[in-house]
């Protein structure tokens, strides 16, 4: 008589665990996988209207990005700045701050590194040159974020507006610096002096993959661990969840706000430095890869989880590298990958709205 209730209780517990795991799997599928699939379907419909076979297009993307050694190495190299951008976004978003000035901060960081590295390479050891250039890039981006940070921390000014405005201004300032103060007089194309290939970030052994990807991986894993495993991360999450409650428990919210902005922008500036020091070697006038806003949906798809963001960054990197090859073969505009990102944003917003309504319905 005593065994049956225990068995029943065990079966009930197993059923609860199974149902909880099932609900979690469904939630992950709906919020993380479904938006990507729907965005691919919508973009495929656009390709069909353009007279291109979507399956052929996606096939070329996969083939180029993963099936050829050069393509896969290019895909991994492209991940480096995107991972650093993702780390900067996760840090800001988890603290409840919207740092949308990514492109301006990225370009100022890239310009600072490009301006500093070539002359220093003539007199300093290369490891020290690379380190100094990265520090300069981080400092330039962090300083550029100071005004929006102070306005938010001490006057409550909406950081979405100020960071976007500073981003546009940062792009213009960077372009002006390239054309004037840091112009290479020996070239006909407006650009900074070029850092020699031998002086750039070394590739991983036996490949053409920039070692900048290791910097990106370390940064995003470190941010993930800080935000989820440390008391400092807990304080930032409290500030993001309820700033008034954070003030009542004694947290210095204005100081933390400025610190988070500076750290987030510094990671974005480091992304610019890694792209220049590892791949391009210089900054050309009017160059802007616009990586910043493209990473935002990836971070939200990952639910601000650093480890999951790595997977989505790999997906987006493969899409960008493969799309370049597919565009040449099929006559599709090279910027079509941005159409997919736009569709991803739209679908993500719809899924989030439906998810919120579903939570409300289940509670009522």
């Amino acid at each position: 008589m005593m065994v049956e209730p225990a068995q029943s209780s065990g079966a009930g517990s197993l059923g609860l665990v199974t149902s909880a795991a099932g609900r979690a799997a469904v939630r992950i599928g709906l919020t993380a996988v479904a938006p990507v699939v729907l965005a691919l379907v919508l973009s495929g419909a656009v390709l069909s209207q353009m007279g291109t076979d979507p399956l052929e297009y996606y096939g070329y993307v996969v083939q180029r990005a993963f099936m050829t050694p050069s393509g896969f190495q290019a895909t991994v190299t492209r991940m480096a700045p995107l991972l650093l951008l993702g780390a900067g976004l996760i840090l800001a978003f988890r603290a409840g701050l919207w740092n949308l000035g990514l492109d301006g901060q990225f370009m100022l960081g890239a310009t600072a590194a490009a301006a500093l590295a070539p002359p220093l390479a003539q007199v300093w050891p290369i490891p020290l040159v690379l380190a100094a250039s990265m520090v300069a890039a981080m400092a330039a981006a962090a300083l550029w974020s100071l005004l929006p940070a102070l306005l938010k921390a001490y006057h409550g000014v909406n950081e979405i507006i100020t960071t976007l405005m500073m981003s546009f201004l940062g792009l213009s300032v960077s372009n002006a610096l390239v054309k004037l103060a840091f112009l290479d007089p020996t070239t006909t194309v407006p650009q900074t002096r070029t850092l020699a290939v031998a002086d750039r970030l070394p590739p991983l052994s036996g490949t053409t993959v920039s070692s900048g990807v290791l910097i990106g991986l370390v940064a995003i894993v470190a941010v993930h661990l800080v935000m989820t495993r440390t008391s400092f991360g807990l304080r930032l999450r409290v500030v993001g969840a309820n700033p008034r409650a954070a003030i009542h428990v004694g947290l210095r919210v204005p100081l933390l706000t400025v610190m988070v902005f500076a750290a987030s922008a510094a990671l974005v500036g480091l992304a610019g430095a890694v792209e220049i020091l590892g791949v391009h070697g210089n900054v050309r006038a009017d160059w802007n890869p616009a990586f910043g806003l493209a990473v935002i949906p990836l971070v939200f798809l990952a639910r601000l989880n650093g480890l999951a963001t790595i997977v989505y960054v790999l997906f987006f990197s493969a899409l960008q590298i493969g799309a370049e090859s597919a565009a040449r073969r099929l006559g599709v505009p090279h910027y079509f990958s941005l159409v997919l990102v736009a569709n991803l944003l739209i679908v993500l917003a719809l899924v989030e709205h439906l998810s919120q309504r579903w939570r409300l319905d289940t509670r009522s």
Side-chain angles (χ1 to χ4, degrees):
M1 296 296 292
M2 297 296 293
V3 175
E4 291 183 2
Q7 289 176 340
S8 176
S9 175
S13 299
L14 181 60
L16 288 174
V17 171
T18 304
S19 61
R23 286 196 299 271
V26 170
R27 184 169 62 251
I28 292 172
L30 290 176
T31 59
V33 179
V36 176
V37 175
L38 290 174
L40 290 172
V41 171
L42 285 175
S43 301
V46 175
L47 286 170
S48 296
Q49 293 298 314
M50 297 168 59
T52 301
D53 182 0
L55 295 179
E56 186 180 10
Y57 178 84
Y58 292 141
Y60 277 131
V61 169
V62 172
Q63 180 183 6
R64 167 62 178 164
F66 293 112
M67 303 301 181
T68 63
S70 61
F72 181 70
Q73 291 175 37
T75 296
V76 177
T77 297
R78 179 62 57 86
M79 290 177 65
L82 302 181
L83 288 171
L84 287 162
L85 287 164
L89 284 172
I90 290 171
L91 184 61
F93 289 165
R94 279 200 174 250
L97 300 172
W98 288 80
N99 178 16
L100 300 185
L102 305 175
D103 289 335
Q105 295 162 9
F106 178 93
M107 285 305 304
L108 286 169
T111 303
L116 192 62
L120 286 183
Q122 306 298 320
V123 293
W124 285 8
I126 296 304
L128 187 59
V129 170
L130 296 175
S133 300
M134 285 188 257
V135 170
M138 295 172 71
L143 287 173
W144 197 252
S145 74
L146 191 59
L147 180 59
L150 293 173
L151 290 175
K152 171 67 176 180
Y154 295 100
H155 299 284
V157 178
N158 190 314
E159 73 273 21
I160 296 177
I161 298 173
T162 54
T163 54
L164 283 174
M165 292 175 63
M166 291 296 286
S167 182
F168 289 122
L169 184 57
L171 291 173
S172 299
V173 169
S174 172
N175 197 35
L177 289 173
V178 171
K179 292 181 177 179
L180 299 174
F182 304 140
L183 178 67
D184 183 359
T186 64
T187 62
T188 56
V189 177
Q191 64 181 41
T192 63
R193 293 175 60 184
T194 301
L195 183 66
V197 174
D199 297 337
R200 299 176 193 175
L201 287 171
L204 300 184
S205 178
T207 70
T208 60
V209 176
S210 168
S211 55
V213 72
L214 297 181
I215 298 174
L217 287 170
V218 169
I220 199 164
V221 171
V223 167
H224 176 77
L225 293 177
V226 166
M227 297 305 296
T228 59
R229 298 288 188 271
T230 67
S231 59
F232 179 71
L234 177 61
R235 289 198 292 270
L236 293 184
R237 296 202 307 274
V238 170
V239 172
N242 194 327
R244 291 184 179 180
I247 293 174
H248 285 304
V249 299
L251 296 181
R252 302 175 65 182
V253 174
L255 177 61
L256 287 173
T257 298
V258 174
M259 289 175 60
V260 168
F261 258 112
S264 174
L267 287 168
V268 175
L270 180 59
V274 163
E275 184 71 359
I276 297 305
L277 300 176
V279 179
H280 298 288
N282 62 39
V283 173
R284 291 191 174 189
D286 301 315
W287 176 69
N288 175 24
F291 289 150
L293 297 181
V295 178
I296 291 176
L298 307 181
V299 170
F300 278 115
L301 278 170
R303 292 297 183 265
L304 307 184
N305 182 293
L307 304 182
T309 300
I310 296 173
V311 178
Y312 285 108
V313 164
L314 175 60
F315 163 76
F316 182 71
S317 299
L319 177 66
Q320 281 204 317
I321 297 300
E324 295 171 2
S325 176
R328 289 192 297 269
R329 294 192 182 192
L330 301 177
V332 177
H334 68 279
Y335 52 79
F336 183 77
S337 59
L338 295 179
V339 175
L340 196 148
V341 171
N343 286 330
L344 186 58
L345 280 169
I346 294 170
V347 173
L348 182 60
L350 290 174
V351 168
E352 188 65 24
H353 172 69
L354 294 175
S355 178
Q356 292 285 352
R357 292 194 60 179
W358 180 70
R359 290 195 195 103
L360 292 174
D361 291 340
T362 53
R363 289 175 183 172
S364 58

